[in-house]
Amino acid sequence: MGIDILFKIAAIGILVTVLNQVLLKAGREEIAMMVTISGIVIVLLMVVNLINNLFNNVKSIFQLY
Amino acid sequence: MEIFQIVSIGMIATIIILILKKQNPELATLVSIVVGILIFMFVIGKFSTNISEIMRMVNQSRLENVYVMTVFKVVGIAYIAEFASQICKDAGEDSIGKKIELAGKIIIMNLSIPILTALMDIILHIMNEI
């Protein structure tokens, strides 16, 4: 874990944007929507782990049970 | 120095958010969540050593342990609630952020009621003795 997750999310975002615009130009709006949603889901799966980590850290440090 | 790492993470993240915000604002919000967590992870190690030092001082001075624990719990709840409410506010959902803050305040009040009742007991005891 570190700063590389930031660059991963940025890369996924830029990739999704480019794919979105290509698909929109080709007239495939529904597939462009699918690409956007799948990008968000992938990033969300990465971020959920991190949020869980944060909650566990805060719980153990501030003795919240 | 860790502050330079934290500042550079913040600036890089700001640029990334500016790039992403036009096309997909959802991912920009996720980036801001990740940056908040990363910066917290950087400083939390130092903070936990501070807390253990404070606990040691409290144990030496023979204060009631429960009260200091309550203060730490309040700080943790306030931090989590503030984190979530600021992210909601950044994403344009001010109302949900306000509701999270309200919930945090109510839970903090619930935690601190025992201290208040202990204080009231002491005051009543002294008044009865007079």
Side-chain angles (χ1 to χ4, degrees):
Chain A
M1 201 203 76
I3 192 167
D4 49 339
I5 191 170
L6 216 65
F7 294 119
K8 270 187 210 165
I9 296 175
I12 291 173
I14 292 168
L15 197 70
V16 164
T17 308
V18 170
L19 281 177
N20 209 354
Q21 289 191 344
V22 169
L23 288 169
L24 279 183
K25 281 278 184 323
R28 302 280 177 91
E29 273 111 27
E30 65 279 1
I31 300 180
M33 185 74 192
M34 288 293 184
V35 168
T36 310
I37 291 175
S38 57
I40 291 169
V41 168
I42 290 168
V43 175
L44 208 59
L45 285 178
M46 284 154 61
V47 172
V48 159
N49 272 328
L50 215 58
I51 293 175
N52 185 28
N53 214 339
L54 169 80
F55 283 175
N56 283 335
N57 260 332
V58 171
K59 266 188 206 163
S60 66
I61 285 173
F62 296 103
Q63 284 116 11
L64 289 170
Y65 291 111
Chain B
M1 287 288 279
E2 282 191 322
I3 184 69
F4 294 110
Q5 282 173 314
I6 290 168
V7 167
S8 47
I9 287 176
M11 289 200 293
I12 290 167
T14 309
I15 303 293
I16 289 172
I17 289 171
L18 282 181
I19 293 169
L20 290 180
K21 203 161 219 168
K22 259 180 285 172
Q23 295 297 328
N24 26 13
E26 311 90 352
L27 286 182
T29 307
L30 285 171
V31 170
S32 73
I33 293 175
V34 169
V35 173
I37 295 174
L38 281 181
I39 292 176
F40 180 73
M41 296 288 184
F42 263 99
V43 288
I44 198 65
K46 294 184 185 302
F47 194 64
S48 65
T49 55
N50 286 352
I51 281 186
S52 53
E53 194 68 21
I54 290 172
M55 289 308 279
R56 198 178 61 80
M57 272 163 26
V58 166
N59 283 334
Q60 274 182 352
S61 62
R62 275 180 284 168
L63 272 172
E64 283 270 9
N65 219 347
V66 186
Y67 298 139
V68 184
M69 295 282 265
T70 310
V71 171
F72 286 143
K73 279 182 189 174
V74 166
V75 172
I77 291 170
Y79 175 75
I80 286 288
E82 189 69 30
F83 187 86
S85 95
Q86 278 180 350
I87 282 168
C88 291
K89 219 171 272 178
D90 278 353
E93 296 289 339
D94 287 22
S95 56
I96 296 178
K98 287 272 188 254
K99 273 149 204 159
I100 291 173
E101 278 180 21
L102 177 70
K105 281 171 194 165
I106 289 173
I107 291 172
I108 287 172
M109 204 174 84
N110 213 1
L111 269 181
S112 51
I113 279 292
I115 297 180
L116 199 63
T117 51
L119 181 68
M120 281 305 287
D121 281 347
I122 293 172
I123 291 172
L124 287 178
H125 188 71
I126 293 172
M127 282 176 78
N128 282 340
E129 289 205 349
I130 294 171

